[in-house]
Amino acid sequence: MSERITIEQNVEILKRYAYLERACMRTLAGWLPGVPEWEAKNQFGLHIWESADAADHLRARLRELRNHQPERGLSPALQQVFTALDYAQNTAEVIATVYLVVKRALLHAYRNHPEVTWSDFDNPTVKVTESLIAQTEAQVAWAERYFPTIAEGYPGWESWRDTVAGLLESDGGAMGTGPKVEARFDLDARPLLLPWKECQRMPDWPIFDPEQDVEPDRKADPEGHRLWRFKHYLNEMTASETLGSILWMTPEMPWEYQHNVARHLWDEIRHSQLGQTRIQQLGLKIEEVPQVVQIYNVMMTLPAVDQYALLTTVIEPNGMPEKRANREHWEDIHDDISAAAVSYDWSDENFHIRWGQKWTPILLETYGYDETPEQIKERMEAWLLENTPVKMQQRHAHGIA
């Protein structure tokens, strides 16, 4: 573009940025349980949150520019890109389209935005787009570095990358200012695998056996208890995977809810990572820890609203006394690392419970439930006692820390 854009054109471009960031957030969230590679899961979790936060900053700037409906009037072609991203069939296709097509296009647009707007007058927009460059560079750099390590295992990914790239290019690219041609994606041409009913792990990783899950006494066997507890922390990956599917299945909810769930998801990734850090410090490899996939799989027999209420009004509140007890115990035995880890987990969970109190009533109303928050909490507590494969959750439900 040789001329500077008008404020109206600026608004339309920023709407596209925000929409594409939300598309990346949504597809990565839906696919989080579907990719078996551990590194991809960890990076997807971070980038779900970063994409949500990028969209939030762009939406805030749009409000300042007097636009309060950022998804109104978007082109059908761009909406087709949004939909098509979900139709990937494997890890390679997700990375090739989300990162190597959409995120690359956004990175180019963010770098060039100061040159197309009236930067002296539109400095707040420039600051927003410039603030997104570093994290988008890091996202694309990760994908470029990681993708060659897995691409060979997923032959044929190039065709899907080219399809999505063609759809975006046909609508003028990320900014929507390039040449436009008609292009269509046939939704019947490939299956939609989302939402994942079972979360995926690498085939040689061990699976959790509930009968072998015996909690050592924290005072009589502090080392055994510590290792046991951080193995379970590593398995909070399943909480983030559950939130990914919940986020994907509840697109009718307000943007603030989606932003909060994306952050909640990233927090659970961080909790899994503190488990990863501690078990490695204690001499284990991540791939040696049995994976508690059963809790995700059984929760996916419930609707998304039930899952969210179960997680935020039952499981997380029930776990708070144990966090306090573990922190006090680890402080008493001068295990500062473990005490610090649980302290941050404890702080995060307080926010998750508040979000549950805020959003559960709105979820019930949005999806036509005739229950009160207290009623669904009671129903989910009973369901948990009957169905959870994790004995620790049963003890927490009975008030045992």
Side-chain angles (χ1 to χ4, degrees):
M1 295 178 64
S2 58
E3 297 180 357
R4 303 286 174 169
I5 55 177
T6 66
I7 190 171
E8 291 82 7
Q9 291 170 320
N10 198 21
V11 164
E12 293 305 311
I13 291 170
L14 294 178
K15 285 165 58 178
R16 294 175 67 90
Y17 295 168
Y19 190 62
L20 287 170
E21 290 285 9
R22 186 166 86 84
C24 294
M25 173 203 78
R26 175 173 162 80
T27 294
L28 293 177
W31 268 92
L32 181 62
V35 296
E37 296 88 354
W38 195 253
E39 180 177 343
K41 287 184 185 293
N42 280 275
Q43 292 296 318
F44 281 18
L46 170 61
H47 300 154
I48 289 162
W49 164 240
E50 289 181 343
S51 298
D53 213 36
D56 198 57
H57 287 300
L58 290 160
R59 283 168 166 253
R61 179 56 183 152
L62 282 163
R63 289 193 297 273
E64 295 171 352
L65 294 171
R66 307 189 307 280
N67 181 277
H68 297 276
Q69 295 178 310
E71 296 191 4
R72 173 176 285 187
L74 293 167
S75 70
L78 192 67
Q79 294 176 52
Q80 199 171 206
V81 174
F82 185 101
T83 301
L85 287 174
D86 289 342
Y87 279 76
Q89 299 294 295
N90 53 55
T91 308
E93 290 189 354
V94 175
I95 294 174
T97 52
V98 169
Y99 293 91
L100 304 182
V101 173
V102 176
K103 287 289 186 176
R104 266 184 184 162
L106 283 168
L107 178 57
H108 179 74
Y110 293 153
R111 286 170 171 165
N112 287 316
H113 202 89
E115 303 305 317
V116 300
T117 190
W118 295 91
S119 297
D120 289 342
F121 313 137
D122 189 27
N123 190 254
T125 297
V126 172
K127 285 189 175 296
V128 170
T129 55
E130 287 183 342
S131 73
L132 299 178
I133 291 173
Q135 77 174 28
T136 312
E137 284 178 337
Q139 293 164 3
V140 172
W142 169 76
E144 291 173 341
R145 181 174 62 253
Y146 179 71
F147 188 74
T149 70
I150 56 108
E152 187 175 330
Y154 298 102
W157 58 267
E158 297 92 342
S159 175
W160 185 237
R161 175 203 59 193
D162 294 345
T163 296
V164 174
L167 288 172
L168 183 59
E169 185 178 358
S170 75
D171 197 43
M175 297 182 75
T177 55
K180 298 189 179 184
V181 298
E182 185 175 350
R184 297 192 62 184
F185 161 58
D186 182 3
L187 292 179
D188 297 326
R190 51 172 44 208
L192 177 64
L193 301 181
L194 307 181
W196 283 87
K197 297 300 184 182
E198 296 184 353
C199 59
Q200 305 299 303
R201 296 293 185 273
M202 297 302 287
D204 56 342
W205 283 36
I207 301 302
F208 175 76
D209 180 357
E211 298 305 316
Q212 301 296 318
D213 185 37
V214 178
E215 178 180 1
D217 183 273
R218 65 169 60 92
K219 292 187 177 180
D221 183 9
E223 293 184 3
H225 175 268
R226 179 176 57 191
L227 184 60
W228 171 87
R229 189 62 187 85
F230 282 99
K231 287 181 182 179
H232 274 283
Y233 264 121
L234 180 143
N235 273 290
E236 292 202 20
M237 180 63 75
T238 56
S240 64
E241 292 170 313
T242 298
L243 286 159
S245 287
I246 290 171
L247 180 55
W248 191 86
M249 292 188 289
T250 52
E252 297 84 2
M253 286 291 285
W255 168 250
E256 184 186 357
Y257 158 88
Q258 296 179 49
H259 189 235
N260 289 166
V261 174
R263 173 54 191 267
H264 189 168
L265 182 157
W266 167 230
D267 287 347
E268 300 299 349
I269 290 282
R270 291 172 40 243
H271 301 166
S272 172
Q273 289 173 345
L274 69 86
Q276 295 172 49
T277 298
R278 285 304 277 137
I279 65 120
Q280 287 174 318
Q281 290 170 341
L282 297 170
L284 277 183
K285 297 178 180 178
I286 293 169
E287 60 269 25
E288 295 173 340
V289 176
Q291 297 291 301
V292 190
V293 296
Q294 296 95 327
I295 188 63
Y296 173 90
N297 299 346
V298 73
M299 285 182 69
M300 281 299 291
T301 65
L302 296 169
V305 175
D306 296 45
Q307 291 187 51
Y308 187 80
L310 173 60
L311 182 60
T312 62
T313 72
V314 177
I315 293 175
E316 291 178 312
N318 287 354
M320 298 303 276
E322 189 235 6
K323 298 181 194 303
R324 179 191 295 272
N326 281 336
R327 179 182 179 181
E328 292 174 350
H329 163 68
W330 284 323
E331 288 178 338
D332 285 345
I333 65 172
H334 306 292
D335 182 354
D336 295 337
I337 299 175
S338 297
V342 75
S343 298
Y344 284 98
D345 168 41
W346 189 5
S347 180
D348 293 337
E349 299 287 283
N350 274 287
F351 259 104
H352 304 164
I353 292 166
R354 292 177 194 173
W355 285 333
Q357 293 168 345
K358 176 175 181 175
W359 294 116
T360 297
I362 299 173
L363 282 159
L364 293 172
E365 180 181 359
T366 300
Y367 293 98
Y369 282 61
D370 59 5
E371 289 177 295
T372 66
E374 187 57 38
Q375 286 171 333
I376 195 171
K377 175 183 177 181
E378 291 176 1
R379 180 165 63 84
M380 287 297 95
E381 186 109 53
W383 183 93
L384 182 72
L385 287 170
E386 181 70 23
N387 291 280
T388 181
V390 182
K391 296 175 185 176
M392 177 172 59
Q393 291 179 340
Q394 294 176 334
R395 290 195 299 273
H396 292 173
H398 290 297
I400 302 171

